[in-house]
Amino acid sequence: MKRYHISISERVFHFKQPAGTSRGVYLTRKSWFVHIRYADRLPDLVGIGECAPLPNLSCDDIPNYEEVLRKFCDYVEEMGFIPNNDMADYPSMIFGLETALQHLHQQRKMTEETGDDLLSPYQIFHTRFSRGECGVPINGLVWMGNYEEMAQRMEEKIAAHFHCVKLKIGAIDFDKELDLIRRIRERFTKEQIEIRVDANGAFSPEEAMDKLHQLAEYDLHSIEQPIRQGQWEEMARLCEHTPLPIALDEELIGVNTDDEKIRLLDTIKPQYIILKPSLHGGMYGTSGWLHLSSRRGIDCWITSALESNIGLNAIAHYTVRMYELFGYLSLPDGSMRPQGLGTGQLFTDNIPLPLEIRGDQLWFNPKELSSSIRDGSYR
């Protein structure tokens, strides 16, 4: 007898402005949503999860994506659990299925405790975040663009009082990118504004060290992925001698077993790693990375990967869960490190959920019953 009933839907989202990434510029974003119901009880409850592979970047960006996803959904329907080992090469599918199941179970728990699942609008875990008692500190992201566009976006983040600003670099002349960074540092100390940069592998191994030294003059917090992934020896050399902390990002994509993760961390020895559940094994795989990195004294933060509000909400809930349970993602004073979570304002047609930005923090408002939950349009 089936444990669950799972259906799949797809939706294309449209960016408010072109999103420049290491794999080109995105104008639209396609996601698949899995909708899970109990087969034998509480038929009105439904858990939803977002499966959102990034084109030309995710290791599970495959032409027959929905066909493969359906096969895994059939397995979960029959067996009642996610075959994480068999799905290791399909991280965005793991993320969608596991968050849908967690959402379903959380609704059941709230229904049994209160008699009304709508008293808990779109909770994934029961945390201080889900109760509306704390927000998640986030960085203000300055997208790639020409100099004038990036300067304007940077000023908008500063005006919005972001304590941590992240600039994507490598798209325009390096001297102009340095000038953008200089404009911040001439007005604000590193204690006032933390600056992160993301090179998306734009530097060659030969030029990387020189550019790291130039960037280090401006008291930057870190640089993400200075050279292309897959060059472990060169990246290890950079991490050993860098004047500026290095964070691995794309380097982690496709590294899906514990043995591979251990070998990467012990070979490269980065200062930070950046974890995207949709790219790095879902919550299951991300938890593995968090455990292995913490044992090695490697700090990290979690980011979203251009998901809709459905995925963003799940990642935010998971992030706080890991912080509250294990102390992961912490600064030395015990507060949470700024995370790389989106603001829910990427798309013209995003799915409305009770997420909001207050200052430089992402908050969940449990008192606001999202219209998408009331009328079922998110399903």
Side-chain angles (χ1 to χ4, degrees), residues 75-115:
Y75 183 96
V76 175
E77 282 185 339
E78 295 291 340
M79 303 304 295
F81 63 89
I82 299 170
N84 285 297
N85 291 335
D86 293 339
M87 291 184 66
D89 293 332
Y90 304 95
S92 66
M93 298 184 195
I94 293 177
F95 177 66
L97 282 166
E98 65 185 357
T99 53
L101 280 171
Q102 179 60 34
H103 178 215
L104 180 64
H105 297 333
Q106 180 66 17
Q107 287 186 85
R108 185 196 69 199
K109 180 180 179 181
M110 293 301 297
T111 299
E112 292 172 348
E113 291 178 354
T114 67

Side-chain angles (χ1 to χ4, degrees), residues 27 85 92 108 114 132 172 182 196 211 218 220 231 242 261 308 361:
L27 301 177
N85 291 335
S92 66
R108 185 196 69 199
T114 67
I172 61 176
R182 185 183 302 114
R196 300 173 180 174
K211 290 189 172 182
Y218 299 101
L220 270 61
Q231 305 176 85
T242 182
K261 293 174 184 179
S308 75
Q361 294 190 346

Side-chain angles (χ1 to χ4, degrees), residues 341-355:
L341 303 185
T343 62
Q345 301 168 346
L346 287 175
F347 307 112
T348 61
D349 46 4
N350 210 334
I351 296 171
L353 285 182
L355 296 168

Side-chain angles (χ1 to χ4, degrees), residues 271-338:
Q271 284 76 35
Y272 296 101
I273 60 172
I274 300 168
L275 298 166
K276 298 181 173 79
S278 288
L279 295 176
H280 302 140
M283 296 187 293
Y284 175 83
T286 298
S287 297
W289 278 113
L290 286 168
H291 176 66
L292 292 171
S293 63
S294 67
R295 289 178 59 187
R296 288 161 174 77
I298 298 170
D299 288 324
C300 56
W301 61 91
I302 292 175
T303 83
S304 50
L306 305 181
E307 296 90 355
S308 75
N309 274 339
I310 297 293
L312 171 62
N313 179 68
I315 294 170
H317 277 79
Y318 167 75
T319 297
V320 178
R321 173 81 167 174
M322 291 297 98
Y323 171 71
E324 290 187 355
L325 278 183
F326 305 109
Y328 295 145
L329 314 168
S330 299
L331 291 167
D333 65 3
S335 63
M336 185 185 291
R337 186 182 306 280

Side-chain angles (χ1 to χ4, degrees), residues 137-141 162 164-166 196 301 338-341 343 360:
I138 61 175
N139 59 233
L141 177 60
F162 277 91
C164 178
V165 175
K166 172 183 166 180
R196 300 173 180 174
W301 61 91
Q339 306 298 303
L341 303 185
T343 62
D360 63 351

Side-chain angles (χ1 to χ4, degrees), residues 123-251:
Q123 286 191 12
I124 304 297
F125 295 102
H126 191 59
T127 64
R128 293 180 61 231
F129 177 74
S130 72
R131 297 192 297 271
E133 297 171 1
C134 74
V136 179
I138 61 175
N139 59 233
L141 177 60
V142 177
W143 285 99
M144 291 178 180
N146 61 41
Y147 178 87
E148 290 74 21
E149 290 170 336
M150 293 184 69
Q152 178 182 346
R153 293 167 188 168
M154 183 180 72
E155 292 300 328
E156 290 172 353
K157 300 304 178 185
I158 294 172
H161 305 292
F162 277 91
H163 173 70
C164 178
V165 175
K166 172 183 166 180
L167 287 79
K168 285 185 171 288
I169 63 174
I172 61 176
D173 180 76
F174 184 65
D175 288 336
K176 289 186 176 181
E177 291 171 337
L178 286 178
D179 185 64
L180 288 172
I181 296 169
R182 185 183 302 114
R183 288 175 60 168
I184 299 178
R185 197 49 82 221
E186 286 176 348
R187 295 152 58 193
F188 303 98
T189 66
K190 64 180 181 180
E191 289 76 23
Q192 293 172 313
I193 292 185
E194 177 181 289
I195 303 175
R196 300 173 180 174
V197 296
D198 182 1
N200 288 124
F203 305 157
S204 70
E206 294 74 24
E207 68 181 351
M209 188 61 76
D210 177 62
K211 290 189 172 182
L212 291 177
H213 277 282
Q214 292 183 65
L215 289 165
E217 295 178 10
Y218 299 101
D219 290 325
L220 270 61
H221 172 270
S222 58
I223 180 171
E224 297 178 28
Q225 205 68 43
I227 63 175
R228 286 271 180 186
Q229 67 267 35
Q231 305 176 85
W232 286 18
E233 290 185 8
E234 290 83 356
M235 188 69 85
R237 177 179 59 83
L238 288 175
C239 289
E240 182 179 5
H241 301 290
T242 182
L244 174 64
I246 291 175
L248 302 185
D249 182 0
E250 291 91 345
E251 199 74 65

Side-chain angles (χ1 to χ4, degrees), residues 14-27:
H14 300 81
F15 284 97
K16 291 182 178 179
Q17 60 186 32
T21 73
S22 61
R23 294 300 186 271
V25 177
Y26 295 148
L27 301 177

